[in-house]
Amino acid sequence: MERITLENTVFEGLNNVYVLGAGSDAPTLIDTGVATVETRAQLDEGLADAGVAIADIEQILLTHWHGDHAGLAGELQDESGATVRAHAADAPLIGGEESAWDAMDDRQRTLLDEWGLPAEPREELLGFLDGSLQGTPPTVEPFEDGARFDTPEGPLEALHLPGHAAGLAGFAFDGTDGRELFSGDALLPHYTPNVGGADVRVERPLAQYLDTLSSIVDAGFARAWPGHRDPIDDPAGRAREIIVHHRERTSNVLDVLREHGPASAWTVSAHLFGDLSAIHILHGPGEAYAHLEHLSAHDVTEPTDDGYRLLDSEPDLDELFPAVAE
């Protein structure tokens, strides 16, 4: 397996494209990188160094719909005839279905209103989002959790890992030291993947992501190969760290509400993250929203016309998070 590292100044940095079967006559790619001229040139160079001719690529497995993972899939498919596969929840977006993108846009604008975004940052965000990094839409074959795919280096099993995106999928395989996972953005080594803003279609985003992290802990993977940066040698430990991080963030949200509530998601975000720009104008209040909704689902807060109001100022956070931290 070859890992090609691509520069990315827009999102979490240093995207990974994985090549299975480099040197074979039917290699598989996992993810593709963002649709910019610079990234495409880096990918072409990395594939050439790995001995992969674009015309030989047989299939492209996408972890999720975000442009830094799926952006170049259409170009590569046009040049190779490769089959592009993605989880059924994300396939319509990756395939450029107008109705799916319209629904995303409607949902996003509704939430921006609910979150209380002021006019100026809203205008900046919408201008950023208009500069699409999705690239040429490919023809996508959807799959579901548990699907299996043959590659030159052995079979992969698709695992649905929602939270960061509705259709985020990992790909598990038998490695030399045990079961391993291509984790996409479900598990990253240095960042905590955004929930709430990264995919506004996800209902109860924090709860879904906590379930995903618990499943990674339970699986006991020997190693994870993330969508950004370096391999993770203790996936269960990293998943536990992220769960603890979200527990601490929920505590911080409660502190904001105790001092400044009732408060909107935008107000909570400002206290947590300060000034935001570009995509973070979506991710900041989105993450605040994910935590506020998690608290509301447990009757700790409730949304009102004035923002989220505390119902229980001293909740037992152990009841709101999985008991997996060591």
Side-chain angles (χ1 to χ4, degrees):
M1 184 262 287
E2 299 282 343
R3 177 168 68 109
I4 300 173
T5 301
L6 305 174
E7 293 180 8
N8 178 357
T9 60
V10 178
F11 298 102
E12 292 91 344
L14 299 179
N15 273 85
N16 292 320
V17 172
Y18 298 99
V19 185
L20 282 69
S24 73
D25 59 0
T28 290
L29 300 190
I30 296 177
D31 285 345
T32 64
V34 71
T36 65
V37 173
E38 295 79 10
T39 300
R40 176 61 198 267
Q42 291 176 5
L43 179 60
D44 287 348
E45 182 179 355
L47 290 172
D49 289 345
V52 173
I54 291 173
D56 292 337
I57 298 171
E58 182 175 79
Q59 69 176 339
I60 299 170
L61 303 178
L62 298 174
T63 58
H64 59 300
W65 66 269
H66 290 157
D68 54 331
H69 297 264
L72 288 170
E75 285 186 32
L76 295 176
Q77 185 181 63
D78 287 345
E79 296 173 29
S80 66
T83 300
V84 175
R85 309 182 196 273
H87 188 275
D90 280 9
L93 291 175
I94 295 168
E97 291 186 16
E98 187 174 349
S99 60
W101 281 103
D102 286 347
M104 168 78 82
D105 185 64
D106 289 345
R107 176 64 175 160
Q108 197 167 78
R109 290 175 185 274
T110 296
L111 285 179
L112 295 183
D113 287 338
E114 291 183 8
W115 296 348
L117 252 72
E120 187 172 339
R122 178 196 294 256
E123 183 177 348
E124 179 184 344
L125 172 64
L126 294 178
F128 174 86
L129 295 175
D130 279 345
S132 175
L133 300 172
Q134 292 299 128
T136 303
T139 299
V140 185
E141 290 195 6
F143 62 76
E144 299 286 355
D145 181 65
R148 295 178 67 84
F149 308 109
D150 292 328
T151 80
E153 297 186 29
L156 300 177
E157 180 187 2
L159 303 179
H160 189 204
L161 304 172
H164 178 69
L168 200 150
F171 303 100
F173 64 98
D174 291 326
T176 56
D177 300 319
R179 199 77 167 150
E180 300 187 25
L181 176 70
F182 293 107
S183 62
D185 284 1
L187 198 70
L188 299 175
H190 303 299
Y191 298 89
T192 54
N194 182 261
V195 291
D199 189 341
V200 295
R201 302 172 303 154
V202 183
E203 299 291 337
R204 298 284 313 281
L206 181 55
Q208 290 204 51
Y209 187 45
L210 293 173
D211 287 344
T212 283
L213 292 170
S214 295
S215 72
I216 291 173
V217 171
D218 293 341
F221 292 109
R223 187 172 293 105
W225 302 88
H228 301 268
R229 300 185 181 268
D230 296 325
I232 301 168
D233 291 330
D234 180 12
R238 179 58 182 150
R240 290 188 182 98
E241 288 176 357
I242 296 175
I243 290 171
V244 171
H245 161 83
H246 279 293
R247 189 184 189 282
E248 292 172 348
R249 177 148 290 166
T250 295
S251 180
N252 294 336
V253 169
L254 287 169
D255 287 342
V256 173
L257 292 180
R258 291 186 191 106
E259 186 172 353
H260 303 283
S264 67
W266 177 255
T267 299
V268 172
S269 170
H271 286 284
L272 293 178
F273 308 119
D275 293 335
L276 301 172
S277 62
I279 192 63
H280 301 293
I281 297 171
L282 179 63
H283 286 179
E287 181 131 337
Y289 162 77
H291 284 263
L292 290 162
E293 284 296 292
H294 192 59
L295 289 167
S296 292
H298 291 273
D299 298 322
V300 179
T301 65
E302 67 173 358
T304 72
D305 291 341
D306 297 322
Y308 285 83
R309 180 174 72 90
L310 268 178
L311 299 176
D312 180 356
S313 62
E314 297 295 336
D316 183 357
L317 293 185
D318 289 342
E319 296 181 355
L320 278 63
F321 288 87
V324 296
E326 294 181 329

